[in-house]
Amino acid sequence: MTRSNSLLGAGRVCALIVASSGILFSQSNAVGSISGTVTGPERKPVAGALVRVDTGRGVKEARTDEKGRFLFLQLLPGAAKLDVTAKDLLTFRTGISIIANQGVTMKIAMAAPMGAVVEVVATQTNAVVGVDAATAVSGTNFTAEQINALPAIGGVYDAFLKTVPGTPSGGYNFHGSEDGVNAYTVNGVESRSAAGGTQLLSVNRDLIEQFNVLSGGVSAKYGRYVGAAVATVTKSGTNEFTGSVRHDLVSDSWNALEKPAPYSNSDRVARKVTDSQSYTFLGPIIKDTLFIAAGYQTVSPSSTKVVKGTVGSGLFAPYTFSSTSQNELKDIKLDWQINTDHRVTGAWNQHLTTSTGPTNGRGLSTLTTGSGPWRQEQGFKSLGYTGSLASNLMVDAILSETITKRHDFGSPGGPDVVSWQDTAGLGHGDLYDNGLTANSTNQEKIRTLGLNLAWFVGQHAVEAGFQYYSSRIESTGSYDAEWKSVTPSGALIEFDGWTANPPSMDRRYRRMTTGDPYSTRLTLFDPLTGHFDSKVWGFYVNDIWTLDAHWSFNLGARFDSNHFKVTPEGNSYSISTAVPRLSASYDLEGDKKHVFTLGLAEYAGQINAGTFTRISVSNLSPSRYYAYYGAAGNGSDALNANGSINWNVWGNSATTLGQANPVYASPDPLTSSPNRVDSNVKPPRSREATLSYRYMDTKQSLTATLLHKVQDNYIGMRREGALGLGLNNAKNVYYNDDGMKARYENLEIQYRRQILEDLSVGGNLTWSYTHANAGQNVGTGSRNQYGDFISNDLVSPFGPQSGQWSSSTTPFTTHIDVSYSHSFGKLGTITATLLGNYWSRSFRGYRDFTGNTNSVIQDYGYADTVSRVYGDAETWWPQQYSCDFHLGYEIGIYRKVKAFTSLDITNLFNHQMPMYVNYSTALKDVSTGTVYAPYATNLPSGWWNNPNFKPVAYNDGWMKDGEVGAYTEPRKIQLSVGFRF
């Protein structure tokens, strides 16, 4: 609540500010709007009132029309000041927050001056929950103030997304969806990987203005997802110079020890403090015209680990090497306000991580270094424009490029040095001279173009837009099953251990076997480079139709044309989708206090490129290997003096030597690939119905939503078998399995109340139910097929999605926060926040058992094992709860400069609860009493549908049934210090 005093007289001016009916743009420049009505005595509209908005970048003005209405569009998000003046009425002034991609509506009642006190009530910044009803009926906003006040250690996404209604403890499975089907943008720039659907870009926490989550009943402006749309907006410069310096200090020695699982240990760690530093600077380059916002973030000192490596053979003493990594994040954003109607924005971001090598010791390194340096870069660049083509026609355009790439440079030995591997006994996996991973490339480049128009005519606010999306993923041998394809030279010599009591690791002491390619051989790898190209042309139209003070409608539709091409296979696919969005809202009294909304929506997501790239031949490495025919027991002649391969001792026999004479050459992966993709595949789809109620007054707000959601078009895998193919020779076909579906239903309630000027409380509750037999992990979460031999109902009955770390079937969750902030004047301001989270016990799935198939099934090309799922043997995720704490203090030290410090503690009371329970299952024949261990090969044919076979607990393994595999993270502490100006 904001109060101001005036000597003009006594009166009361009240503004009820709500998020509603705003004009916004999706996947474009992040802007917001302010609209409203001004009334005078007896609630009569005030025409001609002067409304001024100061965003810190100059003042925008508008006059109210004959109905007292005003509208400001394309405002940069953040704090603003608004004042209204009218003849013979008291001036109204207040602060307001502009919300990115949403609108704020104000109802301002003005009165004639009659006394000495004026009270302005503004609830938008403190007591509003949820999001703009014209954008979505379910979602959450996070402002810069909330981000600073809520407990968070590390990234804000992991810390805050788990508090969104309808999410499990992992935080990314919105409303029963999988974590790879969401949309992410930063300043309107694409920020998700086409390969995995996850967040790509890193953002400096001190530059975040706000981020919002739209998760249900979302407008047609948002597409290519079926989970939720997560939009992040960074700060822009203003006419005032501002900035910050922050040091976030953490140390493992400050934290509580992890509670060990039965088969692991937990030790006290060294007292090393890591300092994550952040520097930001914002301000004008030219007042009212050109503004800059810049940030730099790094970790100091650079992360260095001393690793003690061992040689598996045990013949040599352990050795040590150091691995050093560095992390830098850079941001620059320029805003050119050409005039009040036109603005151009440019942004650049780079997150660079480098390392001298991984921290692994045995088996993954040379004798003196790591397995080689690597460099990873993520970032974006964008250019945007917003402007007015006419008084009632707005345009918004943005062009962007997002890139992520990683390159492994290999060990210092270089690409011409051959690697050696000890394959004997305990020494299996030890590599020498040149290490392992090297010269692999994994890169994704995303380019987007968005053009959006908004047109205001009568009672309609119509938006239409075109969006172009292009992603190219390039991979070179990155996923080879044995990882040998990425040796620096592409060559690997395997030897059969060491001679007795070798004095050193010189290769003359390596044991070489003549003429036996299974114990000694040279393997040459030829990693392939593959590309996955994805292009999407999207079109949408959306109409916010305000019929009268009570009724409004949101009518929209979008069309997306998807095109995919896989190289070198040459496969290509084209898919088109059209989806509607409809909602109707009824304002009970016409004052935005009681609003009911009914919505129907359909979403078409984006096919996870990982579905195709994981089966690309570029993940294979054609290889050929050669037998050794040199001096037995002496590997000195395996290479020439300059380190090149000596082909005089390698070949397929002692008389047929040379590179052209391998013992074995792998088949052409293009012609022998066992995988194909159905040309009729469709992107994932979600259909939902929502019923929402919103209440708001000057001190509190409430949102309650009922949601029903069905997801389908999951990518499954079927095997095309035929008699005589032989074991595992059936083709794998990736297609839309109509039997794979997920149904999600919930009731979620969000509430916030400003109890006192210094004290607020809020939170949300969710009751939900999920019924599904689908998952995005093709081959594991999909319905396996064995032709007509084994029913799908046996291997994948209807139940929760299998394999998710944090179950999306949590039936009850709650998040409650209490925030207190008090100013002591010159003595500073203190802020304290307590956040409580609870996730109830949830349904995980069913017990399963893996055993042998039979010769008939195998002769059709199917697998020699099958996993049956027992739908009458339920398994459960344990309950989880935590309490997090934030304490901050800020004090002025010189003019506008303020020093601050804060303490963040997660899991304050150190409740370490099981994250999951191990379910180890055996199979019992109740007719004979015989018990079969997992992966038994002696089960009778047809055991999978024999009613006498029942699942029972198995307690003979190293992870016994009922044991806990992991616990929630222990108490963690972060101390932050710095200053702002």
Side-chain angles (χ1 to χ4, degrees):
M1 187 164 65
T2 304
R3 289 186 171 87
S4 61
N5 295 321
S6 172
L7 299 178
L8 296 177
R12 180 179 176 88
V13 182
C14 179
L16 178 64
I17 305 176
V18 297
S20 178
S21 303
I23 297 302
L24 60 136
F25 299 107
S26 164
Q27 298 168 359
S28 60
N29 296 281
V31 292
S33 67
I34 301 176
S35 61
T37 57
V38 178
T39 58
E42 300 179 359
R43 296 187 177 182
K44 293 182 179 180
V46 177
L50 178 63
V51 186
R52 294 160 49 95
V53 174
D54 184 359
T55 63
R57 305 168 188 89
V59 177
K60 299 187 72 170
E61 297 182 347
R63 292 280 182 179
T64 57
D65 62 12
E66 68 280 0
K67 295 183 179 181
R69 300 176 300 188
F70 65 89
L71 175 64
F72 294 95
L73 296 167
Q74 298 180 334
L75 301 175
L76 288 176
K81 298 175 182 177
L82 183 142
D83 64 72
V84 184
T85 56
K87 185 178 181 181
D88 300 327
L89 295 176
L90 187 66
T91 297
F92 165 79
R93 293 186 179 90
T94 189
I96 189 171
S97 289
I98 300 165
I99 305 298
N101 299 329
Q102 296 176 46
V104 173
T105 296
M106 305 180 65
K107 286 187 171 293
I108 301 172
M110 304 181 70
M114 296 175 60
V117 178
V118 176
E119 183 178 33
V120 176
V121 181
T123 66
Q124 185 259 344
T125 57
N126 293 325
V128 172
V129 299
V131 294
D132 180 356
T135 306
V137 298
S138 177
T140 306
N141 289 322
F142 295 90
T143 64
E145 291 77 12
Q146 290 173 306
I147 292 171
N148 285 329
L150 284 172
I153 299 177
V156 296
Y157 296 103
D158 290 337
F160 296 159
L161 289 184
K162 70 179 183 181
T163 67
V164 173
T167 60
S169 57
Y172 295 89
N173 305 108
F174 302 100
H175 290 161
S177 67
E178 303 230 310
D179 55 10
V181 295
N182 304 311
Y184 298 93
T185 58
V186 174
N187 295 331
V189 174
E190 186 74 22
S191 177
R192 65 169 164 177
S193 167
T198 54
Q199 168 80 307
L200 275 179
L201 301 176
S202 299
V203 182
N204 189 317
R205 172 176 172 173
D206 291 325
L207 280 180
I208 296 179
E209 180 66 57
Q210 54 197 234
F211 71 89
N212 54 59
V213 182
L214 310 178
S215 55
V218 184
S219 165
K221 307 174 198 65
Y222 297 84
R224 294 190 296 106
Y225 77 96
V226 294
V230 181
T232 303
V233 181
T234 63
K235 296 177 180 178
S236 298
T238 67
N239 282 326
E240 183 179 9
F241 287 107
T242 60
S244 65
V245 174
R246 172 193 291 268
H247 294 263
D248 292 330
L249 308 174
V250 296
S251 173
D252 287 340
S253 63
W254 300 350
N255 302 333
L257 281 174
E258 292 184 358
K259 187 174 182 179
Y263 43 84
S264 63
N265 296 312
S266 183
D267 297 322
R268 180 65 65 182
V269 297
R271 293 183 174 276
K272 177 184 177 182
V273 176
T274 300
D275 179 10
S276 179
Q277 304 171 29
S278 170
Y279 308 89
T280 66
F281 177 81
L282 302 89
I285 298 176
I286 302 175
K287 186 178 180 181
D288 290 344
T289 304
L290 186 60
F291 309 93
I292 186 172
Y296 178 77
Q297 183 174 302
T298 187
V299 176
S300 178
S302 59
S303 176
T304 302
K305 289 188 177 181
V306 177
V307 179
K308 187 175 183 180
T310 61
V311 179
S313 63
L315 295 174
F316 304 100
Y319 58 95
T320 60
F321 65 91
S322 297
S323 175
T324 302
S325 62
Q326 197 130 12
N327 195 305
E328 290 184 327
L329 177 61
K330 305 170 186 176
D331 289 276
I332 297 177
K333 184 178 180 182
L334 294 173
D335 283 289
W336 178 24
Q337 191 164 282
I338 302 172
N339 53 42
T340 57
D341 293 326
H342 302 276
R343 187 181 70 251
V344 174
T345 299
W348 175 83
N349 164 282
Q350 183 191 64
H351 183 210
L352 183 63
T353 304
T354 59
S355 175
T356 59
T359 59
N360 306 76
R362 175 179 179 270
L364 295 178
S365 69
T366 65
L367 297 179
T368 58
T369 68
S371 60
W374 54 267
R375 180 183 191 271
Q376 179 168 297
E377 177 186 345
Q378 296 170 306
F380 71 89
K381 48 190 175 185
S382 66
L383 180 65
Y385 164 76
T386 56
S388 302
L389 300 181
S391 60
N392 66 340
L393 182 61
M394 304 292 150
V395 63
D396 180 292
I398 188 170
L399 179 67
S400 72
E401 179 180 271
T402 303
I403 189 168
T404 175
K405 56 185 177 181
R406 173 171 172 141
H407 189 76
D408 294 276
F409 296 98
S411 298
D416 298 325
V417 180
V418 177
S419 297
W420 293 68
Q421 182 178 27
D422 178 2
T423 62
L426 295 176
H428 181 77
D430 286 338
L431 285 123
Y432 303 90
D433 301 327
N434 205 34
L436 188 59
T437 53
N439 294 334
S440 63
T441 299
N442 198 343
Q443 174 176 298
E444 180 177 9
K445 183 178 289 186
I446 300 172
R447 290 173 174 167
T448 65
L449 171 64
L451 179 63
N452 306 270
L453 297 172
W455 181 42
F456 307 93
V457 53
Q459 296 171 302
H460 297 268
V462 181
E463 293 179 86
F466 161 76
Q467 298 160 0
Y468 170 74
Y469 169 92
S470 170
S471 167
R472 162 162 277 210
I473 300 172
E474 179 179 331
S475 175
T476 302
S478 299
Y479 301 103
D480 185 79
E482 296 182 357
W483 288 91
K484 297 173 184 175
S485 63
V486 287
T487 55
S489 62
L492 178 69
I493 296 177
E494 300 176 35
F495 63 97
D496 192 24
W498 301 81
T499 59
N501 302 314
S504 71
M505 295 181 182
D506 192 280
R507 66 171 179 260
R508 58 183 163 170
Y509 301 116
R510 301 172 189 178
R511 188 167 60 237
M512 309 284 282
T513 304
T514 301
D516 182 2
Y518 296 99
S519 59
T520 299
R521 74 182 179 201
L522 164 67
T523 305
L524 295 184
F525 300 96
D526 301 299
L528 296 172
T529 296
H531 299 94
F532 177 82
D533 292 284
S534 173
K535 291 181 172 61
V536 184
W537 286 267
F539 305 87
Y540 74 87
V541 60
N542 205 86
D543 179 17
I544 302 174
W545 174 25
T546 304
L547 184 62
D548 53 32
H550 299 282
W551 284 101
S552 63
F553 301 90
N554 196 335
L555 312 173
R558 68 175 293 121
F559 172 83
D560 289 296
S561 180
N562 300 265
H563 304 272
F564 311 100
K565 185 177 181 180
V566 184
T567 306
E569 290 87 341
N571 299 327
S572 60
Y573 315 93
S574 295
I575 305 163
S576 297
T577 61
V579 294
R581 312 280 174 87
L582 308 170
S583 69
S585 295
Y586 179 72
D587 188 334
L588 186 63
E589 299 176 1
D591 58 0
K592 303 296 183 182
K593 282 189 175 182
H594 302 273
V595 180
F596 298 86
T597 302
L598 175 64
L600 298 173
E602 185 172 326
Y603 308 88
Q606 181 171 305
I607 289 183
N608 189 327
T611 300
F612 297 143
T613 58
R614 69 164 54 93
I615 61 174
S616 169
V617 297
S618 65
N619 294 329
L620 306 173
S621 292
S623 61
R624 54 199 186 279
Y625 62 77
Y626 304 81
Y628 173 66
Y629 291 96
N634 188 334
S636 299
D637 58 354
L639 302 176
N640 296 316
N642 62 1
S644 63
I645 298 170
N646 177 18
W647 287 108
N648 293 320
V649 299
W650 297 101
N652 60 30
S653 72
T655 58
T656 312
L657 302 174
Q659 187 173 2
N661 300 290
V663 172
Y664 168 81
S666 62
D668 181 359
L670 281 173
T671 58
S672 62
S673 173
N675 304 304
R676 74 175 180 86
V677 179
D678 188 344
S679 59
N680 295 316
V681 292
K682 299 178 179 63
R685 178 178 64 172
S686 174
R687 290 164 290 173
E688 69 178 18
T690 54
L691 176 62
S692 176
Y693 165 71
R694 295 167 182 253
Y695 169 79
M696 183 174 297
D697 60 29
T698 57
K699 290 186 177 181
Q700 61 188 340
S701 62
L702 169 72
T703 299
T705 303
L706 279 170
L707 183 144
H708 175 85
K709 184 175 184 178
V710 176
Q711 300 176 69
D712 57 8
N713 283 350
Y714 285 93
I715 303 293
M717 187 267 286
R718 71 171 185 265
R719 308 200 73 188
E720 291 184 339
L723 185 62
L725 280 179
L727 181 65
N728 288 321
N729 287 326
K731 285 282 187 179
N732 302 322
V733 182
Y734 294 83
Y735 75 118
N736 293 121
D737 188 338
D738 293 335
M740 297 170 61
K741 291 185 179 180
R743 186 174 78 247
Y744 176 86
E745 295 158 347
N746 87 346
L747 167 64
E748 62 184 47
I749 298 173
Q750 298 186 72
Y751 178 76
R752 181 157 297 280
R753 180 179 178 85
Q754 193 74 31
I755 297 177
L756 301 172
E757 187 172 358
D758 297 334
L759 180 65
S760 68
V761 298
N764 58 74
L765 308 173
T766 304
W767 289 268
S768 67
Y769 173 78
T770 302
H771 203 56
N773 65 342
Q776 74 183 44
N777 296 319
V778 175
T780 56
S782 63
R783 303 198 309 164
N784 298 315
Q785 299 222 356
Y786 293 78
D788 296 327
F789 294 106
I790 300 176
S791 169
N792 281 328
D793 294 334
L794 295 177
V795 296
S796 185
F798 226 61
Q801 298 158 342
S802 60
Q804 285 189 185
W805 176 260
S806 300
S807 172
S808 63
T809 60
T810 305
F812 177 74
T813 66
T814 182
H815 311 285
I816 300 174
D817 67 88
V818 180
S819 297
Y820 175 79
S821 181
H822 183 74
S823 174
F824 297 94
K826 293 183 178 181
L827 296 179
T829 301
I830 189 171
T831 301
T833 303
L834 199 63
L835 172 64
N837 305 296
Y838 175 77
W839 298 269
S840 68
R841 190 181 81 139
S842 60
F843 184 34
R844 173 181 178 269
Y846 307 103
R847 286 189 180 270
D848 63 86
F849 180 85
T850 301
N852 58 267
T853 57
N854 58 38
S855 59
V856 176
I857 291 176
Q858 296 168 24
D859 194 41
Y860 271 75
Y862 300 118
D864 56 354
T865 61
V866 60
S867 295
R868 173 174 175 181
V869 179
Y870 289 85
D872 55 352
E874 298 177 349
T875 61
W876 300 86
W877 298 98
Q879 68 174 351
Q880 303 290 316
Y881 57 90
S882 67
C883 184
D884 303 334
F885 177 69
H886 169 86
L887 179 64
Y889 176 70
E890 183 179 79
I891 187 171
I893 55 176
Y894 179 73
R895 294 185 178 180
K896 295 191 304 177
V897 180
K898 296 181 179 180
F900 71 87
T901 184
S902 64
L903 177 69
D904 288 286
I905 304 176
T906 58
N907 198 356
L908 177 64
F909 301 109
N910 199 33
H911 289 299
Q912 294 187 54
M913 297 151 288
M915 285 291 288
Y916 66 88
V917 176
N918 179 53
Y919 293 97
S920 183
T921 304
L923 202 62
K924 183 177 182 179
D925 183 350
V926 296
S927 65
T928 64
T930 304
V931 176
Y932 298 91
Y935 296 95
T937 59
N938 62 334
L939 280 85
S941 179
W943 63 268
W944 47 83
N945 56 12
N946 189 329
N948 291 324
F949 284 78
K950 304 293 184 182
V952 294
Y954 183 70
N955 292 303
D956 294 333
W958 68 280
M959 286 183 65
K960 295 179 175 59
D961 190 84
E963 284 189 347
V964 175
Y967 289 87
T968 52
E969 291 188 339
R971 178 174 53 241
K972 290 189 175 182
I973 298 174
Q974 175 179 280
L975 177 65
S976 301
V977 294
F979 64 86
R980 302 184 182 97
F981 62 90

